[in-house]
Amino acid sequence: MKHAAILDRLAGLGGAKWEIHYRARALAAQGRDVIELTIGEPDVPAPPVLTEVAVAALRAGRTGYSDGRGEAGLRRALAERYSRSAGRTITEHQILCFPGTQTALFALLLGVGEVGAEVLVGDPMYATYEGVIRAGGAAPVPVPLRPERGFRMDAADLAARVTPRSRAILLNSPHNPTGAILSRDDLQAIGEVATAHDLWILSDEVYEDLVFEGAEFVSPLAFPHLADRVVAASSISKSHAMPGMRSGWIVAPADFAARLLPLSETMLFGNQPFIADMTEAAVRAPSPVAAGMRQRFAARARRLKTRLEGDGPLRVHAPQAGMFALIDVRGTGLDGAAFAAGLIEEAGVAVMPGASFGASLGDWVRVALTVDDDRFAEACDRIAAYARTLAGVRA
């Protein structure tokens, strides 16, 4: 039987990257004591004040069809929020709502990419980026995010990879998996490259509310001269500890949002009204859980760095934001995949091989900062002990 070319383009880009995560679940089901540091699941439940809004909306019958752009109240709330943060007027005609950032990015990349086109994207990158780029036929062009530069994209590296086929630059700041944040100067320089070559700037900003103390987030939406080429995507998944609610959006130039609307309606026809009501309430007030997550994740990242670098061959990259930290495992003599595979079997700690996020992280692993403090401390001890055994074998 024949199948569509999209299935070939996406072959190997799905669950295979999460093999260690699934292995951890299987071992736990067998009764093994496994500490799971693989996925970015918030460490607190959804805020009750917001779930009550959703329940009330359900009881009020907010279960019918939605406006294809998203519910009007939510779009107004988002327009007001982004007008404040961008320092310029954002209208509700610039907003489209989606079930989560993932769906928003899928639609965006279908809207700007096609067979023969190229999308410039930082390497390392979030695990699904290659898939959303390839789905419509475009090719990802990796731009190295160098550890010595704090994993922030360098405009010179970007410019060196632009070709006549380039359509867009896909940014992620704060960044998963590195926790890096692009500075204002970084964005200014990237914007100059985009302007010179007439490229879209697509900005995934889902970790905006999880910026650690001492760091600053800047969106490319804040640059008025880039307004006609910037599209930002975000959601309540991380900021409000609601990844399962699947509620996200994009902020785009009004004409592009109008052009993208038929694609969005073909896929989804809007988001669920009762979830939109809850999301509107979330957008109109500060998150009741984000500050606590910021403090806990930053503290755990510091604990990881202190514990591992003080005892053994591992080196930790300190994140500026988000839910993850990176460990450089080269000192053990193993690459990230081998280290992660051994760690789960020998020490009962599940981490993600860095290669799941791009070839440049082949010698790293990603650690989620989202388990409680006692379990996280135990995981740090187990990782350190496992690394010592490897160093002893090499010696």
Side-chain angles (χ1 to χ4, degrees), residues 294-359:
R294 287 195 297 267
Q295 294 168 2
R296 291 190 300 277
F297 299 158
R300 289 169 193 157
R302 291 192 297 269
R303 176 190 287 271
L304 184 74
K305 187 173 181 67
T306 300
R307 179 69 182 88
L308 298 189
E309 293 193 350
D311 182 16
L314 303 176
R315 295 294 175 265
V316 176
H317 170 72
Q320 295 178 287
M323 297 180 164
F324 308 102
L326 294 177
I327 305 174
D328 182 344
V329 302
R330 283 175 292 183
T332 68
L334 298 181
D335 64 16
F339 184 90
L343 184 66
I344 181 65
E345 302 297 339
E346 301 297 326
V349 178
V351 299
M352 289 292 290
S356 295
F357 307 98

Side-chain angles (χ1 to χ4, degrees), residues 186-201:
D186 294 331
L187 289 169
Q188 178 67 40
I190 289 168
E192 290 173 2
V193 175
T195 301
H197 298 280
D198 195 23
L199 304 177
W200 288 99
I201 298 175

Side-chain angles (χ1 to χ4, degrees), residues 147-372:
E148 61 270 22
R149 202 176 178 277
F151 290 105
R152 299 180 351 264
M153 184 178 287
D154 185 277
D157 288 332
L158 178 68
R161 288 158 178 81
V162 174
T163 77
R165 295 181 297 279
S166 301
R167 289 283 185 85
I169 306 163
L170 176 55
L171 302 178
N172 178 206
S173 178
H175 187 257
N176 177 8
T178 70
I181 301 175
L182 290 169
S183 70
R184 186 173 294 275
D185 287 346
D186 294 331
L187 289 169
Q188 178 67 40
I190 289 168
E192 290 173 2
V193 175
T195 301
H197 298 280
D198 195 23
L199 304 177
W200 288 99
I201 298 175
L202 312 179
S203 182
D204 179 352
E205 301 175 354
V206 72
Y207 290 100
E208 175 185 355
D209 283 354
L210 297 182
V211 174
F212 300 161
E213 185 177 358
E216 179 189 14
F217 167 76
V218 180
S219 170
L221 287 170
F223 294 78
H225 66 287
L226 301 177
D228 63 347
R229 67 180 68 254
V230 171
V231 184
S234 194
S235 76
I236 60 170
S237 293
K238 309 300 185 181
S239 59
H240 291 76
M242 290 182 150
M245 280 295 190
R246 312 313 302 145
S247 185
W249 54 84
I250 64 165
V251 184
D255 56 346
F256 179 73
R259 294 290 300 274
L260 195 65
L261 179 60
L263 172 61
S264 172
E265 290 175 327
T266 301
M267 293 169 57
L268 315 159
F269 216 94
N271 57 350
Q272 305 90 327
F274 71 96
I275 293 180
D277 293 350
M278 179 201 67
T279 306
E280 180 183 350
V283 168
R284 289 192 179 280
S287 167
V289 295
M293 286 192 289
R294 287 195 297 267
Q295 294 168 2
R296 291 190 300 277
F297 299 158
R300 289 169 193 157
R302 291 192 297 269
R303 176 190 287 271
L304 184 74
K305 187 173 181 67
T306 300
R307 179 69 182 88
L308 298 189
E309 293 193 350
D311 182 16
L314 303 176
R315 295 294 175 265
V316 176
H317 170 72
Q320 295 178 287
M323 297 180 164
F324 308 102
L326 294 177
I327 305 174
D328 182 344
V329 302
R330 283 175 292 183
T332 68
L334 298 181
D335 64 16
F339 184 90
L343 184 66
I344 181 65
E345 302 297 339
E346 301 297 326
V349 178
V351 299
M352 289 292 290
S356 295
F357 307 98
S360 68
L361 277 192
D363 293 323
W364 299 69
V365 297
R366 190 194 74 172
V367 173
L369 305 169
T370 53
V371 300
D372 69 67

Side-chain angles (χ1 to χ4, degrees), residues 311-313 331-334 384-395:
D311 182 16
T332 68
L334 298 181
Y386 176 65
R388 284 198 305 272
T389 66
L390 296 173
V393 169
R394 290 180 67 221

